[in-house]
Amino acid sequence: MQFIFFMGLVSLFADITYEGGRSVAGPFLATLGASAAWVGLAAGLGDLLGYGLRLVSGFVADRTKAYWPLTIIGYACIFAIPLLCGVSSWPVAVLLISLERVGKAIRSPARDAILSYATKEVGRGWGFAIHEAMDQIGAVTGPLLISAIFVLRGGYRQGFALLWLPAGLAIGALLLARSRIGEPRQFESPAAGAPAGTGRGFSRIFWMYSLFTFLCVAGFANFQILSYHFKVSHVIPDFQIPIFYAIAMAVDGGVALLIGKYYDKRGLRALLALPFLTALIPFFGFSSRYGFVLAAVLLWGAAMGIHETVMRAAIADLTSVDKRGAAYGIFNLIYGGSWFLGSSLVGLLYGISSVSIIAFVLVTQIAAILVFILLQRASHRPSASAGTL
């Protein structure tokens, strides 16, 4: 629990930095002259890099066991966000935003593997939920700080400049955690964990789970494109956009704690709510009514709470210790590739009509439900701690 707390503290400061930046990334790109299609493509590209490159970093983490160096290098990339304070070209802004996502790709498999060792003793779902809840404290604080800058008559550049401080604190907390805790693999023996399949591959249930994830995420609208719509449609004032993001992050943290406990009792059944939440978001999110977009933000935050907790915890229960980093890498490649394709398509469809976005999302989520039904029938109890499907 001490180790989980330390890593949660690191994520708290890091999230103040990059979630503060992400809360206004869409509107900021709009002020620099980017179109909705480019914003959607940029958001998707960032997520593709942020998740897709985890395949490489996950394999490297397993092969070299350099979990701490990879984690430290990855977190250092968050300094790309405060650098946005001096950018005047949207392609350069996209480059810096993408660099932060690359850093997340470098650190995440190693960090999640480290966390998976510690959460073995306290329950996978609960351990990841605690980390996610602390993470979301930062995710709420960051956007609120940016909003405060707007209220104080500042702008995007002053907001990005403020983020130098939490970025530095995140690195300081990480180095402190490294010096205090040491080697986290002591928490879980090599024999622990669910079988990863025969030979060098992964189990059939792992791949079915990954397909379900791909379909769910493909229809999950990125907040950048949602916030772009909020600005260009003048649904809400600029200073309220980061507040809406903070609300979503608060919901994310609360749902994470609830869904984490539920997962430890009932297993992957906790994921069944995800396609239903995802399907509802575009109905409200691309509206021109204030109350509707607020409802979309609440739904978006609830879905993210499931993404960041159960989806990560389940990988640890579906794979063995010696393949944990690689499993997170493969899973995140699928996750990021799906979000890239989905975000890019939603950005293009935005120029056509909101009805076309709704149709696309419904198709993907219906397909996800069908895969989940097959997954439930084909799978068995993944581990004693995860419960049954």
Side-chain angles (χ1 to χ4, degrees):
M1 288 300 299
Q2 182 185 18
F3 177 73
I4 294 169
F5 173 79
F6 269 111
M7 293 306 294
L9 194 62
V10 173
S11 290
L12 187 154
F13 288 124
D15 268 45
I16 291 177
T17 307
Y18 69 78
E19 297 291 17
R22 282 166 66 87
S23 70
V24 292
F28 180 60
L29 291 174
T31 64
L32 297 179
S35 67
W38 279 113
V39 171
L41 183 63
L45 176 62
D47 288 316
L48 176 63
L49 293 171
Y51 288 101
L53 292 178
R54 298 185 198 191
L55 176 65
V56 176
S57 61
F59 276 104
V60 170
D62 277 347
R63 183 63 62 89
T64 64
K65 308 303 179 188
Y67 297 111
W68 278 115
L70 289 170
T71 302
I72 293 170
I73 291 171
Y75 272 111
C77 291
I78 63 175
F79 288 105
I81 298 302
L83 281 172
L84 288 168
C85 67
V87 169
S88 58
S89 168
W90 70 260
V92 177
V94 168
L95 181 64
L96 287 174
I97 293 169
S98 298
L99 177 59
E100 186 279 320
R101 294 290 89 185
V102 169
K104 192 171 181 66
I106 293 172
R107 69 180 181 259
S108 291
R111 183 205 61 196
D112 286 348
I114 289 172
L115 280 170
S116 73
Y117 302 138
T119 57
K120 173 66 177 177
E121 295 301 320
V122 301
R124 303 282 194 202
W126 182 238
F128 274 100
I130 293 173
H131 178 264
E132 176 66 8
M134 294 188 66
D135 186 276
Q136 294 315 107
I137 292 174
V140 171
T141 304
L144 289 179
L145 287 176
I146 299 297
S147 182
I149 292 295
F150 280 104
V151 172
L152 296 173
R153 306 289 182 175
Y156 294 105
R157 300 187 188 284
Q158 291 83 355
F160 290 130
L162 179 65
L163 299 178
W164 283 106
L165 178 59
L169 290 174
I171 298 301
L174 181 62
L175 296 177
L176 178 62
R178 174 69 180 88
S179 65
R180 290 287 300 272
I181 302 301
E183 176 53 60
R185 296 189 78 205
Q186 61 184 300
F187 299 132
E188 185 175 354
S189 66
T198 59
R200 295 186 178 183
F202 294 93
S203 65
R204 180 168 175 257
I205 186 65
F206 172 84
W207 295 113
M208 292 185 70
Y209 173 73
S210 297
L211 176 59
F212 167 78
T213 300
F214 179 90
L215 292 168
C216 278
V217 175
F220 187 61
N222 199 298
F223 192 84
Q224 281 93 321
I225 192 65
L226 287 173
S227 61
Y228 181 94
H229 168 74
F230 299 162
K231 179 174 179 60
V232 300
S233 298
H234 306 291
V235 183
I236 56 177
D238 282 4
F239 82 92
Q240 288 189 14
I241 293 177
I243 293 178
F244 271 44
Y245 191 76
I247 291 171
M249 294 298 96
V251 173
D252 179 337
V255 170
L257 291 172
L258 295 174
I259 205 70
K261 274 292 187 183
Y262 185 79
Y263 171 78
D264 285 337
K265 294 179 179 179
R266 304 301 298 272
L268 295 182
R269 286 180 183 174
L271 283 169
L272 186 56
L274 191 54
F276 293 98
L277 291 173
T278 302
L280 289 173
I281 292 171
F283 281 97
F284 299 102
F286 295 104
S287 169
S288 59
R289 300 177 65 175
Y290 189 95
F292 281 9
V293 297
L294 176 59
V297 167
L298 296 175
L299 293 169
W300 194 88
M304 279 301 298
I306 301 175
H307 280 237
E308 297 291 342
T309 303
V310 176
M311 282 187 168
R312 293 162 62 203
I315 295 299
D317 282 324
L318 294 174
T319 57
S320 60
V321 170
D322 61 340
K323 296 182 180 180
R324 193 69 52 75
Y328 276 115
I330 293 171
F331 172 77
N332 284 298
L333 172 63
I334 294 170
Y335 189 104
S338 176
W339 216 346
F340 170 70
L341 293 174
S343 295
S344 300
L345 186 54
V346 168
L348 292 171
L349 293 175
Y350 184 84
I352 301 174
S353 70
S354 59
V355 174
S356 62
I357 297 176
I358 291 171
F360 166 69
V361 172
L362 285 177
V363 168
T364 59
Q365 300 317 295
I366 290 172
I369 293 172
L370 294 176
V371 171
F372 185 87
I373 293 172
L374 295 176
L375 174 63
Q376 186 177 28
R377 292 177 179 175
S379 60
H380 54 80
R381 185 185 181 104
S383 75
S385 64
T388 60
L389 289 172

